[in-house]
Amino acid sequence: MLSVRVVSPPNLIDISAPIISIQVPNGKSFLINCPEGSQRLFQEVKEKIPKIQCILFTKLSSDHVGGLPGLLLTKADTNTNTNTNANDSSDLTTTSPSLSTKFFTSQVDLVGPTGLTALMNASRSFVRRPNFSVKVFEGTSEFVYKFAERDGGGGQQGLAAPSSVPSTTTTTKKSMHTSTEPLVDIESVSAIICNSSGSSPTAKRQKLDITNSTSTSTHPEIEISYVFKSSKISGKFDINKAKALNIPRGPVYGQLKAGKDVTLDDGRTILSSSVCEPASDGVLILVVSCSSSTTLAELRAKTEILSIQNNPNLHLIVHLTPAEIYSSAQYQEFTSLFPSCAQQIVANESGGDGVPFRTPFLNAYKLSLLDDKLFIVPKKGQLATSKSKSNINSTSAGLLTEYKLIPLTKQGYVEASNELKTLEAADLKKIVDEAKLNGAISEEFGSSISSTTTTTTATTTTTTTTTTTTTTTTSNEEILFLGTGSSIPCIHRNVSGIYITMRNNNSLFLDCGEGSLGQLARATDNNAIDARILSLSMIYISHPHADHHLGLLQVLAKKKRLGGSSKPIVIIAPDQVLLWLSEYCDHVSDEIVGSYVGVSCMHLLHRSSIYSNSNSNNNNSNSNNSNSNSNSNSNNNNNNNSNINNNNNNSEILQQLQTDLGISNIVTTFVSHCYSSFGIVFASDTWGRVLYSGDCRPSQKLADCANEVFGGVDICIHEATFEDNLMSEAVLKKHATIKEAIALGQSVSAEYVILTHFSQRYAKLPNLNLSTSSNPPFTVCNEDGEELETIAKNELNGTKLIVAWDFMRLQKCSLSKASCINDRMQLLFPPVAEMENSPETKKANAEVQKIMNLPGAFANNNFQCK
């Protein structure tokens, strides 16, 4: 069937722009807008990413495109087995003044305003999948997009799919079309472009400055509405007539149904008209994006709008229009101009009910049973119940509102699953009952936890002497985990993001993955999110992988909209991330211009790390021989970018961090993960000495930095991507295991070791394996593989271990409490047994070991980096 689904209207908490999906009978889909959080939502509502053939954008802003890079990476990895370490980039081809195309692969098309190509170019350092490319259609004036042109290999924008990519027209049971439902597809999409700013695209600046966002260039404020035109609706296939003519079942039925005449093996020619009813005209779908009265005035005068106002084939209009504009008399007059038979759906912030992220809410609620101050129960993202005023017969869309267009005889709304609409009291009671049954909660447990000591360690920033104090403070000081998963957003855990509030209520981010702003909003009391963003003084990005920085754009744009440009955020990040932000300002949008000041991680390096890093950090290859040239080039590029930063007045910025955040010292060091990966250690008057690893193998350099400069740390936040039985995979992928992370924390005398960045393979909680069972001891080695010490698996040697979760809120008074509930967590989320002895697992482990044994692939098989 052909249907239009409102995956989610904007709800002002999680989803910043409406997401629309148009489903066609061949299984493919068209997606309109891709804000942050799209991937997690798609997992929740079972929207299939691999089936998306085209993504269209109504506006080019972080609210609308924030989830695009991550979704492309996921789609590429889902569709093909790609080499994630490749650094190929494709050329840009312009075919007309108003229509540009970029060949990134032949797997998905992007359609939208001018600047979309520049966005993809800016993302080139972290969106790298050479076997999967994107073709971009962008324009400043009206154009028609046809998906068929790119499949055929001919025509203006034709591009044949690589032979390694499976054809989308392979014969399957579905493609035989033995069903009696009519065949239909989206034939073309017309883009209706409104430019409310009246400006034209600006030329590229001659020189980029990656350390600031003070570009004075302006970009056109383009907004696009779309008209989707389906192919002709094939006549109903009469299977009885086919049987009467002795036509064999199979692909022949599909050809006849598609309107093709067929010659059978017996020599007879069967006309399609002899078994099918006559074809009828296709349907039109209008998607209106109108965010201002200026756009409305321009839209009403468009020829494309005037031409369909009285067209009987216009069956559906979807309004992606803010409630304030939609309710105006002018807009209501506009809606009345269309045929009364056309159904109208309103997808804005005043939509119907729905809970976009049900699973994370239920997980957080379950954890809150252990301690409701330690684990925040987030706002559900429930959509507003108020309706937009309307003088016409329209429907206010909620989560998964769907309208079926074809078959015409079955046209109408499709009922969404009730479990995605609401959360009932019975759902929560079931969680409580299960927790009691598993022994995770009890009255005795509640009282024992409440008596846990609230002592914590605080260290002054001028000495390495530690003093233990007792605090009963009720201030807003907190470490709030917004994302504790790795790689891609998952329904259970979002990607990396930690929000830390200091004693003066100013704040910072340690990494800012996609969806961080939405997570922060859900964890914040009503009307307090603006204050949180305005208090933001620093964002640290550990490395240029997408899951650690794609949330930056929305956070920066939000602060600028709130008037926070007078005090820009200090962004400490690898040069590649700063370059991405700079190019976004210069060539895509003005929305973050003036919102930040960039500081390269290279400029805060610990003295032992200031040398050529070609041998230690950032060898993305599994073989030194296979990628040595590319590593050399990357080092040269890094040096050039560093020269751009040489005029930066870091002392002034460090003084700002001291004033705003109480940070007296901050040092970075190279760690072993991807190119330009850094760990960080800082001393503050609120949290003492804090180490954050980012993604890496446990690093001796990071430990040396913490010990030499700070005399150890109080809090060590370390990635623990894999369970201990996956050491080989951890080494291969340059991540850490749980025990390795604990050992690193112990090596820097951390009182608290907080584990985060868990593999998404662990649906809820990895097996900590900290019991006193007969597990073998854990051996700590140096970079040469020599054994340094052995730690019994049932001993933490006084280290307090905390397992981070999304929406975990740590305060000074709750750190000790958080370290006492690991056993209860395991009861609350029983670990899923690993299939260690399965043939699949054994084969995978053998492949990993084979790669690790390649000469030169790894200097050693231990966890230290040089």
Side-chain angles (χ1 to χ4, degrees):
M1 67 178 181
L2 175 66
S3 67
V4 176
R5 175 187 296 173
V6 179
V7 181
S8 179
N11 60 19
L12 304 184
I13 296 179
D14 306 289
I15 304 300
S16 57
I19 308 173
I20 311 297
S21 176
I22 298 180
Q23 313 281 332
V24 294
N26 60 13
K28 296 181 291 188
S29 65
F30 291 75
L31 187 69
I32 302 175
N33 294 327
C34 187
E36 288 187 36
S38 294
Q39 285 193 77
R40 295 189 81 196
L41 181 60
F42 291 168
Q43 293 177 52
E44 193 78 70
V45 303
K46 308 298 188 293
E47 185 80 17
K48 303 298 184 183
I49 292 178
K51 293 184 177 181
I52 298 172
Q53 71 174 21
C54 177
I55 307 175
L56 305 98
F57 298 95
T58 57
K59 297 181 74 174
L60 197 61
S61 71
S62 59
D63 285 344
H64 295 73
V65 304
L68 175 62
L71 185 137
L72 290 179
L73 289 170
T74 299
K75 180 170 170 59
D77 293 341
T78 302
N79 285 10
T80 57
N81 295 321
T82 59
N83 175 10
T84 60
N85 291 327
N87 48 23
D88 296 1
S89 61
S90 303
D91 295 332
L92 178 69
T93 303
T94 302
T95 57
S96 72
S98 63
L99 183 63
S100 299
T101 58
K102 177 174 183 220
F103 298 96
F104 216 127
T105 72
S106 59
Q107 285 297 296
V108 69
D109 288 350
L110 304 181
V111 180
T114 293
L116 197 51
T117 296
L119 174 65
M120 294 304 301
N121 283 336
S123 307
R124 63 190 176 276
S125 66
F126 56 89
V127 182
R128 296 178 298 175
R129 296 294 187 268
N131 296 326
F132 178 91
S133 57
V134 174
K135 187 175 180 183
V136 177
F137 294 76
E138 62 175 17
T140 55
S141 60
E142 278 66 28
F143 62 89
V144 177
Y145 158 78
K146 293 185 178 181
F147 186 81
E149 289 179 351
R150 61 119 69 230
D151 281 340
Q156 194 173 1
Q157 292 84 35
L159 178 65
S163 58
S164 60
V165 178
S167 170
T168 58
T169 58
T170 54
T171 300
T172 65
K173 290 183 179 180
K174 288 185 178 181
S175 65
M176 290 179 186
H177 298 298
T178 57
S179 167
T180 58
E181 289 193 1
L183 288 174
V184 71
D185 201 348
I186 296 298
E187 185 176 83
S188 65
V189 183
S190 299
I192 306 172
I193 298 180
C194 296
N195 184 354
S196 60
S197 64
S199 59
S200 59
T202 55
K204 295 181 180 180
R205 290 196 296 173
Q206 294 300 311
K207 184 178 180 180
L208 293 173
D209 182 358
I210 68 173
T211 66
N212 64 66
S213 57
T214 57
S215 168
T216 57
S217 62
T218 58
H219 302 279
E221 297 177 10
I222 293 177
E223 193 163 3
I224 302 184
S225 297
Y226 294 100
V227 178
F228 291 81
K229 180 182 179 182
S230 79
S231 58
K232 283 195 172 186
I233 304 172
S234 59
K236 184 177 179 180
F237 180 78
D238 192 329
I239 193 170
N240 292 323
K241 289 184 177 180
K243 288 180 178 180
L245 292 172
N246 293 323
I247 301 173
R249 295 178 64 91
V252 173
Y253 276 24
Q255 295 174 28
L256 290 169
K257 187 172 176 59
K260 298 178 181 178
D261 299 335
V262 175
T263 300
L264 301 179
D265 292 340
D266 59 12
R268 289 183 298 150
T269 297
I270 306 296
L271 301 179
S272 174
S273 58
S274 64
V275 292
C276 294
E277 295 178 359
S280 58
D281 291 337
V283 299
L284 297 177
I285 304 166
L286 172 62
V287 178
V288 180
S289 178
C290 180
S291 58
S292 69
S293 56
T294 303
T295 302
L296 176 59
E298 187 176 355
L299 193 62
R300 294 189 62 167
K302 291 289 183 180
T303 304
E304 294 80 5
I305 293 294
L306 296 173
S307 66
I308 63 173
Q309 283 180 353
N310 295 314
N311 192 323
N313 294 323
L314 179 61
H315 284 244
L316 181 65
I317 306 166
V318 183
H319 300 276
L320 312 185
T321 304
E324 181 181 4
I325 301 298
Y326 183 84
S327 300
S328 67
Q330 293 86 349
Y331 199 91
Q332 288 302 302
E333 182 187 356
F334 170 66
T335 61
S336 66
L337 298 176
F338 297 100
S340 58
C341 60
Q343 180 64 39
Q344 304 204 31
I345 298 176
V346 185
N348 58 29
E349 68 276 15
S350 63
D353 59 0
V355 183
F357 296 112
R358 175 187 175 91
T359 302
F361 174 85
L362 293 176
N363 285 342
Y365 179 79
K366 184 181 291 190
L367 287 162
S368 74
L369 299 177
L370 303 181
D371 189 303
D372 59 3
K373 292 183 174 59
L374 189 59
F375 296 100
I376 297 173
V377 179
K379 290 183 289 188
K380 292 178 287 188
Q382 191 99 3
L383 302 175
T385 55
S386 61
K387 307 295 183 180
S388 297
K389 294 180 181 178
S390 176
N391 296 324
I392 60 171
N393 183 22
S394 63
T395 298
S396 189
L399 184 70
L400 294 184
T401 295
E402 184 172 3
Y403 190 81
K404 183 192 295 185
L405 289 144
I406 296 175
L408 296 176
T409 55
K410 298 180 181 180
Q411 198 171 95
Y413 286 97
V414 179
E415 184 67 23
S417 171
N418 285 329
E419 71 171 19
L420 293 172
K421 284 186 175 183
T422 58
L423 281 167
E424 304 293 343
D427 297 320
L428 305 184
K429 183 180 183 301
K430 181 180 178 182
I431 289 176
V432 174
D433 292 342
E434 288 178 351
K436 288 180 178 180
L437 182 64
N438 294 334
I441 60 172
S442 65
E443 292 182 8
E444 293 77 11
F445 170 65
S447 61
S448 65
I449 285 297
S450 63
S451 63
T452 302
T453 178
T454 58
T455 58
T456 187
T457 299
T459 306
T460 64
T461 57
T462 57
T463 178
T464 59
T465 303
T466 61
T467 58
T468 303
T469 61
T470 301
T471 177
T472 57
T473 179
T474 57
S475 73
N476 292 323
E477 300 165 6
E478 66 178 4
I479 300 176
L480 177 59
F481 288 86
L482 304 175
T484 55
S486 66
S487 186
I488 62 174
C490 173
I491 57 174
H492 294 289
R493 295 179 185 266
N494 197 42
V495 290
S496 297
I498 306 172
Y499 181 86
I500 300 179
T501 307
M502 300 305 193
R503 64 175 51 168
N504 61 0
N505 285 333
N506 285 340
S507 59
L508 63 90
F509 263 111
L510 295 179
D511 280 325
C512 188
E514 179 186 335
S516 290
L517 180 60
Q519 293 283 92
L520 184 60
R522 298 177 70 206
T524 302
D525 293 336
N526 291 334
N527 304 320
I529 182 62
D530 291 356
R532 281 189 179 269
I533 296 300
L534 286 172
S535 73
L536 197 56
S537 299
M538 184 188 100
I539 301 177
Y540 166 73
I541 303 297
S542 60
H543 64 288
H545 278 168
D547 57 319
H548 288 256
H549 71 265
L550 284 183
L552 277 173
L553 295 179
Q554 266 209 304
V555 170
L556 294 175
K558 174 77 171 178
K559 182 161 186 179
K560 183 177 178 180
R561 287 196 299 268
L562 294 172
S565 296
S566 59
K567 195 170 186 180
I569 297 173
V570 174
I571 296 183
I572 301 173
D575 289 345
Q576 294 93 325
V577 175
L578 297 179
L579 182 61
W580 169 62
L581 293 174
S582 180
E583 291 189 358
Y584 187 86
C585 291
D586 283 334
H587 307 306
V588 181
S589 173
D590 299 329
E591 64 179 339
I592 65 169
V593 170
S595 64
Y596 74 93
V597 174
V599 177
S600 172
C601 287
M602 295 286 291
H603 286 262
L604 300 175
L605 280 175
H606 180 229
R607 57 180 175 79
S608 65
S609 292
I610 304 178
Y611 58 87
S612 173
N613 59 337
S614 58
N615 293 323
S616 62
N617 169 46
N618 328 315
N619 181 1
N620 287 334
S621 170
N622 288 332
S623 169
N624 288 342
N625 296 328
S626 65
N627 206 27
S628 58
N629 291 334
S630 64
N631 281 337
S632 175
N633 292 335
S634 296
N635 288 334
N636 291 334
N637 291 337
N638 191 77
N639 291 336
N640 290 338
N641 288 339
S642 297
N643 290 334
I644 295 176
N645 283 320
N646 279 343
N647 295 326
N648 230 15
N649 190 344
N650 287 325
S651 61
E652 214 175 279
I653 292 173
L654 292 176
Q655 181 59 47
Q656 180 182 334
L657 296 182
Q658 168 75 64
T659 302
D660 294 346
L661 298 168
I663 292 178
S664 61
N665 197 5
I666 183 167
V667 180
T668 62
T669 186
F670 290 124
V671 293
S672 180
H673 185 55
C674 68
Y675 185 74
S676 289
S677 294
F678 296 87
I680 191 171
V681 188
F682 63 88
S684 74
D685 59 9
T686 302
W687 295 100
R689 304 156 300 171
V690 179
L691 178 152
Y692 176 58
S693 68
D695 286 9
C696 66
R697 297 289 299 138
S699 169
Q700 187 62 52
K701 288 188 297 181
L702 184 58
D704 290 345
C705 172
N707 290 325
E708 292 175 13
V709 179
F710 299 90
V713 302
D714 303 302
I715 298 173
C716 171
I717 305 174
H718 204 288
E719 73 121 285
T721 306
F722 294 108
E723 292 179 350
D724 300 323
N725 61 341
L726 294 176
M727 171 71 80
S728 296
E729 192 165 350
V731 172
L732 178 66
K733 296 184 178 179
K734 298 194 174 181
H735 285 294
T737 66
I738 291 172
K739 281 300 184 181
E740 288 178 322
I742 295 171
L744 190 283
Q746 292 173 332
S747 73
V748 294
S749 305
E751 181 175 1
Y752 298 98
V753 175
I754 306 175
L755 304 182
T756 186
H757 196 270
F758 300 105
S759 170
Q760 303 287 20
R761 74 178 64 196
Y762 309 120
K764 296 173 184 177
L765 183 69
N767 187 358
L768 299 178
N769 203 18
L770 297 174
S771 66
T772 57
S773 61
S774 58
N775 293 309
F778 177 69
T779 302
V780 181
C781 304
N782 65 11
E783 60 267 25
D784 297 320
E786 299 170 345
E787 294 185 6
L788 297 180
E789 58 179 314
T790 298
I791 301 175
K793 279 204 171 184
N794 61 340
E795 294 178 358
L796 292 175
N797 294 340
T799 301
K800 297 181 177 68
L801 180 66
I802 299 173
V803 178
W805 276 88
D806 291 15
F807 304 116
M808 172 183 270
R809 180 177 185 252
L810 298 175
Q811 295 181 294
K812 286 185 177 181
C813 59
S814 64
L815 284 168
S816 291
K817 184 186 297 186
S819 68
C820 296
I821 61 175
N822 295 326
D823 290 340
R824 297 286 176 168
M825 276 191 194
Q826 297 272 194
L827 293 173
L828 205 59
F829 298 101
V832 178
E834 292 285 332
M835 300 175 60
E836 297 181 24
N837 297 318
S838 68
E840 294 81 5
T841 301
K842 289 182 178 180
K843 181 178 179 181
N845 289 340
E847 290 297 320
V848 169
Q849 197 61 49
K850 181 178 179 181
I851 294 174
M852 289 178 61
N853 291 333
L854 288 174
F858 293 90
N860 47 68
N861 290 345
N862 59 71
F863 71 82
Q864 304 282 35
C865 74
K866 294 182 180 179

